[in-house]
């Protein structure tokens, strides 16, 4: 039986599963999974990209709801506080790497690389600071910092599905 206090952490875990599914879907659409002999036919690839977009959006929504529910139900936990930013990084990494598999040109890889370097830089600072007893409170601005790349990446995946150039795929 699932306890109410477990729901926020379960949503965070679901975000990780969705992020992995997004990466696998985008990589499959690119024909980049082991055992694939190439990309699928364009209609099938478009369907997989749209499925990946749906998984990404659902996963991104869990980022809002897991924290909201944890605060509302007083279900905050050290495990959730640790896992939530990790799930965010996995979601961003999965989408960026999947998009790079679809379009490995320099603008895509360069923009994606900058996003990933920033994600790992911030994580490293928090890890080192935490080991030294420094506290890094999460201000409201941090929620927007997470929302902006998630919305931007969702827009980019939608652009891939539509065949339109986007910010990571310059013409």
């Amino acid at each position: 039986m699932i306890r109410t206090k477990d729901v926020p952490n379960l949503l965070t875990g679901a975000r990780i599963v969705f992020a992995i599914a997004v990466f696998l879907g985008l990589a499959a659409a690119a024909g980049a999974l082991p055992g694939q002999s190439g990309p699928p036919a364009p209609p099938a690839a478009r369907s997989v990209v749209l499925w990946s977009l749906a998984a990404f959006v659902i996963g991104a929504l869990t980022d809002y709801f897991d924290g909201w529910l944890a605060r509302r139900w007083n279900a905050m936990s050290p495990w959730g506080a640790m896992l939530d930013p990790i799930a965010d990084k996995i979601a961003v990494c999965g989408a960026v790497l999947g998009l790079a598999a679809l379009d490995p040109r320099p603008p895509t890889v360069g923009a994606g690389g900058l996003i990933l370097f920033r994600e790992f830089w911030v994580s490293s600072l928090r890890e080192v600071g935490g080991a030294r007893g420094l506290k890094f409170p999460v201000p409201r601005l941090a929620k927007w910092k997470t929302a902006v790349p998630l919305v931007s990446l969702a827009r980019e995946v939608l652009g891939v599905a539509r065949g339109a150039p986007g910010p990571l795929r310059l013409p």
Side-chain angles (χ1 to χ4, degrees):
M1 183 163 156
I2 297 174
R3 298 176 315 167
T4 302
K5 290 194 175 265
D6 295 332
V7 172
N9 287 343
L10 290 172
L11 287 173
T12 301
R15 185 160 72 254
I16 293 170
V17 171
F18 279 116
I20 293 167
V22 168
F23 168 72
L24 292 174
L26 294 175
L33 290 181
Q36 279 187 288
S37 59
R46 183 174 186 272
S47 294
V48 172
V49 170
L50 286 172
W51 175 87
S52 298
L53 174 63
F56 187 78
V57 169
I58 293 167
L61 288 174
T62 68
D63 183 40
Y64 172 78
F65 285 108
D66 64 0
W68 182 76
L69 290 173
R71 287 184 297 278
R72 182 177 175 110
W73 294 341
N74 196 26
M76 293 170 284
S77 69
W79 178 250
M82 178 191 72
L83 196 57
D84 185 68
I86 292 170
D88 293 342
K89 305 296 184 257
I90 292 171
V92 169
C93 288
V96 166
L97 293 174
L99 287 166
L102 281 167
D103 185 10
R105 294 180 306 133
T108 305
V109 175
L114 289 175
I115 291 168
L116 295 181
F117 285 131
R118 188 248 173 239
E119 293 290 334
F120 286 107
W121 172 256
V122 170
S123 294
S124 298
L125 288 175
R126 287 187 180 276
E127 182 70 25
V128 170
R132 294 195 165 109
L134 298 174
K135 300 267 187 217
F136 295 100
V138 180
R140 184 173 282 305
L141 182 62
K143 291 295 179 189
W144 283 101
K145 191 280 317 162
T146 300
V148 167
L150 292 176
V151 169
S152 298
L153 287 167
R155 182 177 174 267
E156 186 66 23
V157 175
L158 178 61
V160 168
R162 293 178 40 219
L168 293 181
R169 294 171 291 107
L170 302 174

